[in-house]
Amino acid sequence: MAVLDQAVLDHSDQVGPSPALQFTSAPEGSTLVLDIAGMKCAGCVRAIENRLTAVTGVLKATVNLVTEVAVVTVGGDPPSPQDLVVAVKQAGFTATVRTPEGRDGLMDRQQWVERLQAQQQQQGRRLAGAIALLLLSTLGHLKHSGGVNVPVLSDLWFHALLATLTLLGPARQIFVEGWRAMGHLAPTMNTLVALGSGTAYLASLVALVFPQLGWECFFDEPVMLLSFILLGRTLEQRARFRAMTALRSLVALQPSLARLIADPQVNPVSQVGVEVPAHCLQPGDWLQVLPGEKFPADGRVGWGQSSVDESMLTGESAPVSKHPGDLVAAGTLNQDGKLAVQVTQSGQHTLLAQMVELVETAQSRKAPLQGLADQVSGYFTYGVLALATITFLFWYLVGFSHWPQVMPMVLGMAHPGQAMAAMPSPLLASVKLAIAVMVVACPCALGLATPTAILVGSGLGAERGLLIRGGDSLETLHRVDWVIFDKTGTLTLGQPHITRVESLVPAIAAGDLLRLAATVETGASHPLALAIQAAAEAQTLPLLVATDFENQPGLGIKAQVIWQDSRLTCALGNDLWMEQQGIELPMTARSQAEALAALGQTVVFLSLADQLLGLLVVSDPLRQDARQVVHSLQQRGLGVMVLTGDRSAVAGAIADHIHLPPSAIRAEMLPQAKVEVVRQLQQQGHIVALVGDGINDAPALAQADVGISFAAGTDIAVETADVILMTNRLTSLLDTLALSQATVSKIRQNLAWAFTYNLVTIPLAAGLLLPTLGLSLSPVLAAGLMAFSSVAVVVNSLSLYGSWGRNLTPELEPDVPG
């Protein structure tokens, strides 16, 4: 599993993603990604997963049928990539190991896209060949239906030749893969199709060579059967290709070439540049990016200014102005100015590459709803083969002797010109029923039901700047009934600024107070610390020498500071932190802090040695959409709570503005206390989502059923979160909830269809209604139904593109204070 490892905050006014976001392997074990070829159904997935998990050192293996990717988590004494390839080969499939690190990561994915396109073309050619043979077969049957007698085409031997060409040509891969899977004792959908069509072909061949048996020749059935199968697979493959639109779009954002130039500070003259492959870039290289071009790597603008379209990464449509010093991300579009950019990250380490990796890994994580489908699919083909055998034995030994009148309904009419015996053959009729059972059964629908919906859902989320780690997170979001917000950086903008610095000691000037505070805060990186440092830098105040930093999340920080040639302890934090340091706060300071807190402002006290020196007043504006988001959640019937380490008065002011009752606000919360609040709700049977972005939110994010963080949050918060919001809008939370609702709804619809289809059609194909209603399925009709069932699942998942778009949250009007 890929996780965000570092988030460097850019505290200019620019909006957009931070190209310094980095993803690394999750701590529980490194992962290897394999591209798998030859999978057709859930049985294939189960066979590969079983083989991979049996390899020593493999902790977990997850295979995605739609993307044809296996994500293998290894640990302890990890196996070599070649061991995994061999294991997949033993299951009857081929695998190639994708480059895990380095410059070739995105190249691997671009080759993957090209391979998908080539597979579509190859499948199309097979279909064209099968349809041509089918048309010839149909022309040969015109006489049978009272039409024109076409010479040669109506001959039985010609139809035998057409069936043979179909098996050896367009359907050859089905037979090869089907028998290979049977040889590995892991039958798949191809095995069922190969057995069904092969049996029909052999029975017809026997009838042709030994006409004295009086059997019907139905060479047209394997031709029609295989043509329908190939048609269904072609349509399914095209639909699956479309379902991967979002992932393919992300991969396509990476330019293949970059224009390399010399350092513009050393060579200020105009440069033409040299075009080089983008994957050859290294940090420190200088690039020239012209209007209309995409950035080939993450970097920092060194010269020029322009507007950049970052919508493909964040979902935000408004262009972002870029000036020297601003960060840019690979794949974003330079609109109207020439820029010189110094590379900070390239290849597999860019934000774009890591987003692709996160989305792809997320699509391989299974939703719990898929559990039943996985259990069934593991034994599905075995069960179908057993049912086909039982169907044959029952009708041959018992059925047709009790209900002989139904035999003509099963056999149908003979081929024109074929001499039939006076008595139809129970053996042949029983074979046709068994063939119909094998062909109509569809493990593909079961295997595609969940991954296609997750593929489309997670891809749509990525297009909107919502990175969801997997199907399990999507499904849990659907069941969330409580949403807990952190205040700072979540309900507020996370861009605090100093509004007031007040010294309580006449000998200490306000500038000295700010200088001490900024020095101590060099040991922290949260938004408040950065705001204090920025205020000191704006006044060009030199920092002091400081050592022995001690940071207590939710309380404050202290350090040893050299002040006036003395080494003293300087502490900065809230009133509880001051009390822990043995600093007594006078009533005037407390009253002043409470009055400011009632206005929604945060007060930070500063002490030196054993003396309180003064206070700093910090203001962090509330997000414009905070009130509407809270109101929308309440309208959906969700419980809403705010947890903050700030003072009760500050929390109360926030509560008044977003119209929350006092009982829904918990103030002066330490990190462990936040965890306890989440745990208490969970013990009451609630499913809890927590939205936070600070270091002190990480434990609660991990405890919550779903942790949600903004991408601009601290590295540990983003790393712990299950959902990462790339946009800077709180309404993205509503879009995420709507997406989960729509995706889970599609998963349930798909599973209901897949199970219902098989529960209805298999008994029908086995002849359950033959004695009473005279209804059964011919092998050709069974093939058509099977092909339709798989396509229906994928098309239903694709309908998410329309249904979720209608549920998106519109841009909200800004709040009016008061």
Side-chain angles (χ1 to χ4, degrees), residues 45-55 61 378:
V45 171
R46 184 64 175 247
I48 295 171
E49 288 180 344
N50 288 341
R51 289 284 184 174
L52 287 174
T53 52
V55 177

Side-chain angles (χ1 to χ4, degrees), residues 304-472:
Q305 59 183 23
S306 180
S307 295
V308 175
D309 180 5
E310 297 179 338
S311 60
M312 59 286 293
L313 297 183
T314 67
E316 300 283 0
S317 58
V320 180
S321 179
K322 298 292 183 180
H323 302 85
D326 289 343
L327 299 171
V328 293
T332 55
L333 180 66
N334 182 25
Q335 290 191 326
D336 52 26
K338 184 168 70 173
L339 296 175
V341 176
Q342 187 173 30
V343 175
T344 57
Q345 298 288 349
S346 62
Q348 190 71 2
H349 303 288
T350 64
L351 172 62
L352 173 62
Q354 303 301 337
M355 281 183 64
V356 171
E357 181 181 345
L358 182 62
V359 171
E360 189 175 52
T361 305
Q363 291 171 347
S364 298
R365 285 174 56 175
K366 297 183 179 181
L369 277 172
Q370 194 174 348
L372 178 59
D374 283 346
Q375 291 177 4
V376 172
S377 64
Y379 307 99
F380 187 88
T381 48
Y382 297 102
V384 170
L385 290 173
L387 284 173
T389 304
I390 292 171
T391 298
F392 171 79
L393 293 175
F394 171 80
W395 284 104
Y396 182 63
L397 299 176
V398 179
F400 288 124
S401 61
H402 281 74
W403 301 286
Q405 71 278 9
V406 303
M407 197 181 307
M409 303 175 188
V410 176
L411 290 174
M413 291 179 289
H415 191 279
Q418 181 183 358
M420 294 293 294
M423 289 296 295
S425 169
L427 176 62
L428 193 61
S430 301
V431 167
K432 291 191 74 171
L433 287 172
I435 292 172
V437 170
M438 286 188 287
V439 173
V440 81
C442 189
C444 299
L446 282 172
L448 294 170
T450 301
T452 52
I454 291 175
L455 180 75
V456 176
S458 58
L460 276 170
E463 288 180 346
R464 297 281 181 170
L466 315 173
L467 299 185
I468 302 171
R469 291 201 184 276
D472 49 350

Side-chain angles (χ1 to χ4, degrees), residues 90 120 143 177 209 249 255 328 408 436 491 556 625 641 651 745:
Q90 290 173 347
Q120 285 209 91
K143 178 182 177 182
E177 294 178 354
V209 176
S249 298
V328 293
L491 287 177
D625 50 4
M641 184 181 294
S745 175

Side-chain angles (χ1 to χ4, degrees), residues 529-593:
L530 296 172
I532 292 174
Q533 294 173 44
E537 184 179 352
Q539 297 183 28
T540 63
L541 298 175
L543 299 181
L544 305 168
V545 177
T547 58
D548 301 333
F549 294 91
E550 180 182 336
N551 195 343
Q552 190 67 36
L555 293 173
I557 188 173
K558 67 178 180 180
Q560 297 297 314
V561 176
I562 305 300
W563 174 255
Q564 296 179 351
D565 298 328
S566 299
R567 185 183 180 87
L568 303 173
T569 300
C570 184
L572 182 73
N574 59 21
D575 51 353
L576 293 177
W577 184 243
M578 291 295 111
E579 290 176 7
Q580 290 186 18
Q581 306 310 311
I583 307 299
E584 183 177 351
L585 298 181
M587 286 303 299
T588 54
R590 289 184 180 275
S591 300
Q592 188 175 9

Side-chain angles (χ1 to χ4, degrees), residues 53-100:
T53 52
V55 177
T56 303
V58 172
L59 303 179
K60 182 181 179 182
T62 305
V63 178
N64 190 299
L65 175 61
V66 183
T67 59
E68 298 181 325
V69 163
V71 178
V72 184
T73 305
V74 297
D77 185 14
S80 68
Q82 187 60 31
D83 292 336
L84 303 179
V85 172
V86 170
V88 173
K89 186 176 181 180
Q90 290 173 347
F93 304 90
T94 57
T96 54
V97 179
R98 186 173 294 177
T99 306

